Amino acid sequence: AREAGLPVLFIGLSMVNGALAGGRTEVAVRFGQAALTHLEGTRHLGVLAGTRIQLMAALLQSGRHEEARQQSLAAWPLMARFSRIDAWADYQALLTALENRLGDAALLMGFANAACARGNIVRTHNEAAAVKRTTDLVIAGLGAAELRRLMAIGEGLLLQDIPAIAFERSQEP
């Protein structure tokens, strides 16, 4: 199974996504962890990237923020190569908001929106739920006007701007 074919790996990724969408968070975490076991060290880097993003989402939903951060850090180098930067940024924005870095979360939301617009991407149920949760957190902390202002700035960010925003843990002014 270690070198399972791509269709089998996509089924595993779909199982993580489906379990999470169905509210079965711990099942999604287990599926994601099992999929990673089979994917690490294989040539299926695009599926590995997607699995890390889905596992990150499940870990965020289960309140395991540090583990989600580890998946985000591991996924980041693959994101530039495998065109799902929008989904990664949606979940990273949520993680950043949960770390109480609300301004950075809003910037990442704007970046993700721009990536979706450029790629004509429609968010999945899970991605949309993460965006709603992030939006609610940022509005509660900063207000709707500041969210809109920062998202507009985020829309103009470049890929090379993102690591400093995503992974910096200092408190905002």
Side-chain angles (χ1 to χ4, degrees):
R2 182 124 177 100
E3 286 297 327
L6 207 50
V8 172
L9 296 173
F10 276 119
I11 290 168
L13 184 56
S14 294
M15 290 173 68
V16 175
N17 197 32
L20 187 58
R24 298 174 31 220
T25 305
E26 289 308 314
V27 171
V29 170
R30 285 194 304 274
F31 282 154
Q33 290 169 332
L36 280 183
T37 298
H38 292 290
L39 285 165
E40 288 177 332
T42 71
R43 61 193 163 107
H44 303 298
L45 297 179
V47 180
L48 175 63
T51 300
R52 286 194 184 283
I53 293 170
Q54 294 304 319
L55 179 56
M56 179 184 177
L59 291 165
L60 285 170
Q61 189 63 31
S62 72
R64 293 154 69 177
H65 302 161
E66 189 54 40
E67 290 176 71
R69 173 176 266 282
Q70 291 168 8
Q71 291 306 317
S72 178
L73 284 163
W76 170 252
L78 299 172
M79 292 301 96
R81 291 177 60 189
F82 299 103
S83 72
R84 280 315 313 265
I85 195 74
D86 54 290
W88 175 88
D90 284 338
Y91 295 124
Q92 182 61 42
L94 176 56
L95 176 59
T96 303
L98 291 167
E99 292 175 340
N100 201 33
R101 296 186 299 121
L102 301 175
D104 287 342
L107 291 170
L108 289 168
M109 290 175 71
F111 177 77
N113 284 348
C116 285
R118 276 191 308 276
N120 199 25
I121 295 168
V122 177
R123 287 181 168 100
T124 67
H125 169 81
N126 294 332
E127 293 158 4
V131 170
K132 182 184 180 335
R133 189 172 171 202
T134 307
T135 300
D136 292 346
L137 289 167
V138 174
I139 288 174
L142 299 178
E146 185 67 356
L147 170 64
R148 285 189 302 274
R149 185 185 78 77
L150 290 169
M151 283 180 67
I153 294 169
E155 289 173 3
L157 293 173
L158 302 174
L159 192 60
Q160 62 262 27
D161 300 325
I162 299 306
I165 296 166
F167 303 123
E168 176 72 29
R169 284 193 163 189
S170 65
Q171 287 297 314
E172 297 171 356

